[in-house]
Structures are given as structure tokens and as C-alpha cells.
Amino acid sequence: MDRRVIVDIKGVAKHYGCGETRVDALRNLDLQVHAGEVVARLGPSGSGKTTLLNIIGCIIDPSEGQVSLDGELVYDNRWLRGDLRRLRLDKIGFIFQAHNLIPFLNAVDNVALVLQLAGKTTAQAQARAMELLDYLEVGPRARAMPALLSGGEAQRVAIARALANSPRIILADEPTAALDSKRAGIVMGLLRKLAAEQDACIIAVTHDEKIMDRFDRLFHLRDGRLEE
Amino acid sequence: MNLAFRDVRHNLFRFILTCLGLGLLMTVVLAMMGIYNGLVSDALNIVKAPQADIWVVEADTQGPFAEASKVPNDTRDAVARLHGVARAGSITYQTVEAPFKGAALRLYVIGYERGRLGGPQTIVQGRGLQASHFELVADAKTGLIPGDTIVLGRDRFTVVGLVRDTMNSGGDPAVFLTLADAQVLQTQLDPSAARVQAARGAVGSGGATVAAVIAKLDPNVDPQSVANTVRQWKHLSALTQAEQEDILIKSVVDKARKQIGLFLGILLTVSAVVIALIIYTMTMEKLKQIATLKLIGAPDRTIIGLIVQQSLALGAVGLMLGLALIMTVKDSFPRRVLLEPVNALALTGIILVVCVLASGLGVRAALKVDPATALGG
């Protein structure tokens, strides 16, 4: 397995407010996640799990520290790239708790959209999207609208969308929360397989006890600090 | 992939209902524009109909359309003898109510001398007046048809022909009678005291008068110079055709015109607010999807395109529905609804601007959405 560091966080902190009302969501946090690794962050509500996910996803600014993604230093007390959305499009895939499929696009178009945003032609995007849906065994439901998909099908379409541009980082926010044990196991198995095949790392936020044994490493966030 | 089109297709029923609502609003806007035009056009039609160059009216009055004007019957001969006058004719105007098929029909009666100026220009059905008495030509809006008979005053008249778009500034459709019949009708409808005096042969009470004498001038004759000549006569004054039209627009229909214009302005403002609210609401309903789009890397232009294209589609379909509807129902309005292509073009321009401005509110809200909203934290 390629042990190249994909996500490298050094001394990252995030504060909200100031003075007496200041809240330290993250304190001097270091984290390295390697290619092929599937890691989970655990912690009670309000411990900063989502804040860390948002920082790695280039959605919110850290208050201090450095963030490197796929070998590129992207934050060093300020964002070093102006086009953060393009960075997300190229390097990061998101899997949401509630799948967040676009309701007015069918399954294949939800996946193709990301590819078209990245510059693929309609034909290329459709072909690649179908390939991913077939791989995730939801090909027969490609023309179904999200409202007509079961929870498991919708989550697999969401995974296909996250994988569409072959990102090196997949951020998953409670990816199995809406699934039963069997489906959760299948999804985690799939994520592990994809991480290995695509040389990507998967960072998940989860409370789901039934999938804890499917992660390579578990991190606990307590009072804004990370403990392995 | 056109996201705006996909979203519309997904929520087609709601989109159609919204367009229908907007279309009805556009219908009202177009109707107001048409009524506004119709008011001005009708007012001008009645004064343009006789195709006169000069209106000889009672001194110190603004002519028969603005106030009561009475000039002696024989004025026409004097006017006809003026240098530069090709043709002249006497004309009367009065508004009457006549019973017809169980309802009161309000008519604008125009009396003119057959074979002279002042008669109907284009007969669309039937024929013009041929008999000296008891025939009339009516505007189609009266509901009369050739062969109908109607009692005016104490006499029964037969409808022999129809004209179109001839009504006074109040919207009352016109009927044309011979001058003699119109003058008799005027006498019959005089107040009873005046009629008693006339029956007793009181001096001055029975002298035949007309509302105005109109004249057509020879080519290259300056109407103003002829008018100046008439103004030197005692008890008479003259207005050129341009002055007469100006009086109608600035004086007679001015308040109604301003009223409708103001109402039109209010309607356009309401339309703009409604469109803005619809677009804003549509955007607010999609905030989570917009946050997801931002999170997965969609650029701002994709999100702006989604909102602006939907806004324009809404405006365009609403406008087309409005146009189709007003063209279908415009003839059912009691007053003439006159729509010119320039009105549709103007409204298209206004709706375009309104839609773009309205979508600005939605775009602003969409661009402010934090992509983290998609993650729920």
C-alpha cells in the first residue's frame, strides 16, 4: 500500500468568538492520514468533529495552523489557493449523512453533474457515471429520481458522486447513520475497497458503533484535542 | 446540463401554476395598457372621424367635446364661403339613453348633413344613411345590427349600417343620424320648461343650432389663417384639428388617462414585487441544494444561472400566457382594449428587467449560503 500522506494537518486550531465568550473548537491539532487508510473521528456532540471535517474540506478557515492536501500546502494561516471550490471538485469527495442528492436530477445525472463541473463532456460524464453506478450495483436505478430510491440505493449513488472525479480524499459525515446494520456493513466494505483501489483516504465522522471495527484508525476528539 | 430546466421539469406542475398566476397578472397589466390606449384612441377617433381641418364653435368655448357649444345653423354657409374652404358641414353631438331589448342603451348621437362632412367614414356592414329621416348608422359596440329598430326621443329609427371604433371619451358608442333628426331629438329631450316655451313660440327658444361647423380646407391652405379669420366673427371661434385633438387629450381625457397610467404603474410595481417574491421563495427552498452544489465544487455562475434562468423562464411563460389571454378576452371588455406591438415589446422589456432584478435577491441569498450547511453543521 502506498503510505503517502494525503491529509496532513499541523497545529490547527479553530476558535469561535473572542474574549470571555471565546470557544476553542479545536486546539493545536495534528493529524496525518495516508493513502488507502479509512479513519474515523469519534467524539461527543460539540467536540469539534464537524469543524475538523469542514477544515479538511476547505469549507471553513482554521484560526491557525497548516493544512496540506494530497501533497499541496493549501492553508498556512491563510488559504494559499483562491479557487477552493475547484480544489474540492478535484481532490475531495463528500458523503453526507442524508445523501444530499439533488432532487431534480436522476441518479445518473447526480453523478454526471460533478464530472461535467470538472469539464467532462456530457457523453463522457454519462458514461463514467453509469460505470460507477454499475460498479456500486445501482446501475438499474440510474434513471430513478432520488425520491424513489431506497436509503441504501441513495447512499450508493451519493458514494458514486463522491468518487466521480477520483478524489484522493473522501470526507464522510455519518455515512451509515440512515442505514440498517446490513446496509451499513456493505457501505463500509465498499468504502474500504474504494480507498484501496483508488489510493484515496477516507475520513469519516461517526457515532455508529456497529461499524467501528471497519476503520483502520479511530480518533477521539475531546475538548478540541485529538486522541488516537 | 441545464439545472434550471431540470428543476422546472421536476416541479412542472408548480411551475405551470406559478406561470398561470403570473400570466393572469400580466393579463391585467396588458388590459390596463390596452384600456389606456383605447381611451386615448377613442377620444381621438371621434374628433378625427369627420376628417375636418377647422372646427367652428361657440365663442369662448373649447368646442363640443369639452363643453356645450351652440352655433347657429346658418353658420355653415358662411364658413363654406370662406376663402380656402373646400367643404363644410354642420354637426351635433349629444348623449342619450334609449331602451333596447329591455335594457337602457347609452348612445353618443352624432347628427350630420348627408353628403357633407361629418358622416361615418367606413361602413363595415350594411350601408350609409340614404333616407332623410329615421335611419341610423351605429357603432358595432352598441350591439345593434342592421334591421334593428330603436326608439330615440319620440321616433323609431332603423339601423341601416354599422361602423367600428367610434365612441366618445366616456366609452359610449356612437350612432349617426341626419342633422334634422338629431336636432329634433335634441328638442324632444330639452327640459320640459324649454319645450313649453318653444311650443308657445318664445323668441330665441326655437332657433336651430348645431354644436359646431366643420370645414375641410383646400390643399396648401393654412388652417391657422382660416381659424384666425373666423375668430374675428362675433360669437364664434375656431379651432384647428390639432388644437381640437390637444384639448381632448390634455383636458377631456387627461384625468382618466392619468388615473389609468397611475394604476398601470402600481400594477407593474405589484408584478415586480410578486415576481421577486416568487423567485426569492423558490431560491430559499433550494438553499440546501445550493449549499450541496457549492460543496461539491459548482462555481457561482452555475448557481446564478440556475436562479436567473428560472426567473426569466417564469417571466417569459407568464408574459406569453398573459398575451394569449388578453388577445382572447379583449373584445369582451366594455371599453375598447387597444394593444399595439409596442406595448408587448415594452412589457417584455419591463418583465426582463424585473426578472433580472428580482432574481438578484435570490442570487444574493444563494451566494451567501455557507456550503457547510450541506453537512448540517
Side-chain angles (χ1 to χ4, degrees), chain B residues 311-376:
Chain B
S311 172
L312 291 175
L314 198 69
V317 177
L319 181 65
M320 279 189 280
L321 281 174
L323 275 170
L325 205 57
I326 192 65
M327 295 314 282
T328 310
V329 301
K330 75 183 176 76
D331 291 331
S332 310
F333 279 73
R335 287 216 59 156
R336 192 149 71 104
V337 177
L338 179 66
L339 282 168
E340 309 277 0
V342 70
N343 298 131
L345 278 176
L347 191 58
T348 305
I350 291 168
I351 294 300
L352 185 77
V353 172
V354 164
C355 284
V356 170
L357 290 178
S359 57
L361 274 178
V363 166
R364 190 165 167 265
L367 294 183
K368 280 169 72 178
V369 175
D370 185 353
T373 314
L375 287 170

Side-chain angles (χ1 to χ4, degrees), chain B residues 2-281:
Chain B
N2 188 308
L3 296 180
F5 171 70
R6 298 299 183 91
D7 189 26
V8 165
R9 197 174 61 176
H10 183 62
N11 295 301
L12 192 59
F13 183 67
R14 198 180 67 164
F15 181 79
I16 289 172
L17 271 186
T18 311
C19 286
L20 196 62
L22 206 55
L24 289 171
L25 199 57
M26 293 298 107
T27 305
V28 179
V29 172
L30 285 162
M32 290 312 297
M33 280 183 167
I35 291 168
Y36 179 95
N37 289 342
L39 182 79
V40 174
S41 174
D42 286 345
L44 289 179
N45 268 357
I46 205 81
V47 74
K48 281 178 179 168
Q51 295 188 323
D53 295 320
I54 291 286
W55 293 71
V56 178
V57 299
E58 189 178 340
D60 304 323
T61 72
Q62 300 234 62
F65 303 108
E67 51 193 318
S69 163
K70 282 187 176 179
V71 297
N73 233 359
D74 54 6
T75 307
R76 189 248 297 154
D77 295 330
V79 173
R81 282 195 295 271
L82 279 173
H83 176 72
V85 172
R87 296 162 65 204
S90 298
I91 198 159
T92 65
Y93 296 100
Q94 62 187 312
T95 304
V96 300
E97 274 199 4
F100 182 71
K101 291 185 178 172
L105 200 55
R106 199 170 161 81
L107 302 170
Y108 190 56
V109 177
I110 302 172
Y112 74 102
E113 297 175 282
R114 281 186 307 133
R116 294 185 181 275
L117 278 181
Q121 296 303 314
T122 310
I123 306 285
V124 294
Q125 194 181 340
R127 59 171 174 80
L129 302 183
Q130 287 177 353
S132 303
H133 295 289
F134 311 129
E135 285 188 348
L136 66 81
V137 170
D139 184 90
K141 279 267 184 189
T142 56
L144 298 166
I145 54 169
D148 278 346
T149 62
I150 184 168
V151 174
L152 300 177
R154 285 196 290 272
D155 299 313
R156 181 171 287 277
F157 289 78
T158 302
V159 180
V160 295
L162 295 181
V163 291
R164 280 199 196 284
D165 302 333
T166 312
M167 56 194 70
N168 68 4
S169 58
D172 303 322
V175 292
F176 291 87
L177 313 182
T178 60
L179 183 67
D181 283 347
Q183 285 178 318
V184 169
L185 179 62
Q186 214 160 22
T187 313
Q188 288 169 353
L189 298 176
D190 271 348
S192 53
R195 276 185 275 133
V196 168
Q197 290 299 318
R200 290 170 63 190
V203 177
S205 62
T209 59
V210 294
V213 170
I214 52 178
K216 185 83 184 162
L217 304 182
D218 288 324
N220 304 322
V221 174
D222 177 21
Q224 203 57 256
S225 69
V226 178
N228 286 338
T229 305
V230 175
R231 282 174 196 139
Q232 291 168 5
W233 296 354
K234 269 188 177 178
H235 313 303
L236 292 174
S237 183
L239 301 164
T240 63
Q241 177 69 15
E243 286 167 342
Q244 184 67 273
E245 288 179 16
D246 204 41
I247 286 169
L248 261 173
I249 297 299
K250 286 192 179 159
S251 160
V252 181
V253 295
D254 187 54
K255 276 186 183 158
R257 203 168 60 104
K258 280 182 180 164
Q259 182 102 336
I260 293 174
L262 187 65
F263 193 44
L264 184 61
I266 293 170
L267 265 177
L268 282 170
T269 310
V270 169
S271 305
V273 171
V274 168
I275 292 172
L277 269 177
I278 291 170
I279 302 299
Y280 187 70
T281 309

Side-chain angles (χ1 to χ4, degrees), chain A residues 54 59 85 96 100 109 173, chain B residues 6 294-295 298 300 374-375:
Chain A
N54 286 342
I59 298 165
R85 281 193 217 174
F96 308 90
N100 282 27
D109 285 340
D173 186 19
Chain B
R6 298 299 183 91
K294 283 183 168 185
L295 193 68
D300 283 343
L375 287 170

